Amino acid sequence: MICLLPHCAYLSETSRMLELHRALTTLGLEVRVATHGGPHERLLTEAGIEYDVIGPGLSATRAAAFVGSAVGLGDPRQSMYDDAEIRRYVAAEAEYFRAHGITVAVTGFTLTTLLSSRLTGVRVITEHAGSFVPPIFERRLLPAPTHPVAPRLKHAPDWLARFLINRSPNRITAYCGGFNRVASELGVEQIPSLAALLLGDLSLVPEVPEVLGISAADLAAWTPGKGYRAGARLRAVGPLFAQLDLPMPARVQSFLDRPGPTVYLAMTSTPPAQVRTAIAELSRLDVRILVAGTIHDLGDLATDSILVEGVLPSHLVMPQVDLAVTTGGQGSVQTAMASGTPLLGIPLHIEQDLNIALVERLGAARRARPGTLTELATQMLDTETHHEAAERIQKLYAAANGPADSAEAIAEQL
């Protein structure tokens, strides 16, 4: 039995699990869905998917705190959960797996499954590492971070920052402390590094080789060395991004149909203050701005040229805009590329830096450092080459089927 475990504090993780659920059920496989809860649970309900909540459920406040403390954003000395939470969730997940005969768990940043799976012998498959996988940093492909993750990188030249960031993921234990304390108490395998925290027994790498810069064969041939759990493996699959079954609101379509350039700002799982700053910078341009506000209250920013909505079907919006502005999560980057739409990224951590840099290398995107958003948006709107590059990637994506590839990989683990 397969169990999908979306982390519903994240729109991206929840929506990707919807794609996997569709693909797995198309194969005729029986699937259970379980979550710790969170504000995006409603997407499961709206999709007609039955699911179970493991534990007390995440309030909106606790979900926001989790997102703010996560890898790349919070203090690396903590583990997003406190030790008591980890114990409770691991015990509850283990009980759930045993009760329902789960043999394969597919997790979307529900990191406690890395321990509960060891208690129960369940095989864990992850997708949330995206392109941030060992062959990337072993080949020194991580870019210099836009936002330095350590004080020693704050004033380092790009070449030095790039060298240090690529040699770090399997050498540091950032964010692992709480998980390892509980693992010791339970007598199960610990998590030896930050890189290992993001990997399962099998990790799906949802990107085409032309964008990733690494072949499917090379990913499959990778074997774990120091700093990784033994037996970890990688599997290339096609792009995996949300295609939410939501209607396009009439007012949004009317806004998009108006003449003149349009920018789509979709910074999900981002503190509202940062979204407001981005809107203020983009407002200096003579453009219309459509804002996917998701769970944030941003209605006071609405004007004749700024439309603020909640969760939107980005795969329907992006083909109709001239520029997408996101934080660079793999889902939003891939949605833009699948739409042939240039992307301006405002990365908050190194994984998002990487996602943007991969398509920036091909000419379809730019990374914005603090204070450069207005200037870069102007340049991209005035330069047709970015659009042409995005269309080239669009053709590569059209030939791939990430959800089907992922479902086949998961099914093989049964």
Side-chain angles (χ1 to χ4, degrees), residues 302-327:
T303 67
D304 183 60
S305 59
I306 300 174
L307 179 62
V308 179
E309 291 289 319
V311 176
L312 289 170
S314 289
H315 68 293
L316 300 179
V317 172
M318 285 194 182
Q320 302 186 66
V321 302
D322 300 280
L323 180 65
V325 179
T326 80
T327 52

Side-chain angles (χ1 to χ4, degrees), residues 266-281:
M267 299 173 64
T268 63
S269 303
T270 305
Q274 291 174 295
V275 182
R276 287 176 176 273
T277 297
I279 293 172
E281 292 189 43

Side-chain angles (χ1 to χ4, degrees), residues 104-117:
V104 174
V106 185
T107 178
F109 212 66
T110 305
L111 299 176
T112 45
T113 56
L114 296 177
L115 302 188
S116 59
S117 63

Side-chain angles (χ1 to χ4, degrees), residues 208-210 237-239 338 392-402 405:
V208 296
E210 294 88 347
V237 295
R392 288 193 291 271
I393 298 175
Q394 181 184 32
K395 292 177 181 176
L396 295 173
Y397 280 11
N401 190 333
D405 291 347

Side-chain angles (χ1 to χ4, degrees), residues 52 68 216 229 236 311 345-346 363:
D52 300 304
R229 284 174 150 187
V311 176
I346 310 173

Side-chain angles (χ1 to χ4, degrees), residues 258-403:
R258 288 164 52 184
T262 306
V263 174
Y264 180 42
L265 179 66
M267 299 173 64
T268 63
S269 303
T270 305
Q274 291 174 295
V275 182
R276 287 176 176 273
T277 297
I279 293 172
E281 292 189 43
L282 292 170
S283 296
R284 299 170 191 163
L285 305 177
D286 185 18
V287 298
R288 295 192 313 283
I289 304 169
L290 173 60
V291 181
T294 63
I295 60 174
H296 300 317
D297 184 7
L298 304 170
D300 60 291
L301 299 178
T303 67
D304 183 60
S305 59
I306 300 174
L307 179 62
V308 179
E309 291 289 319
V311 176
L312 289 170
S314 289
H315 68 293
L316 300 179
V317 172
M318 285 194 182
Q320 302 186 66
V321 302
D322 300 280
L323 180 65
V325 179
T326 80
T327 52
Q330 190 169 57
S332 66
V333 172
Q334 291 185 340
T335 304
M337 295 303 101
S339 304
T341 302
L343 177 88
L344 179 51
I346 310 173
L348 304 179
H349 52 73
I350 187 61
E351 183 260 339
Q352 294 175 341
D353 269 301
L354 171 64
N355 296 331
I356 300 164
L358 291 175
V359 291
E360 184 178 36
R361 173 176 58 87
L362 300 177
R366 297 286 298 275
R367 279 189 298 158
R369 294 181 181 273
T372 66
L373 184 60
T374 304
E375 178 185 357
L376 287 177
T378 300
Q379 293 174 6
M380 293 191 74
L381 288 168
D382 291 342
T383 307
E384 183 62 24
T385 55
H386 296 298
H387 184 77
E388 293 169 352
E391 288 184 330
R392 288 193 291 271
I393 298 175
Q394 181 184 32
K395 292 177 181 176
L396 295 173
Y397 280 11
N401 190 333

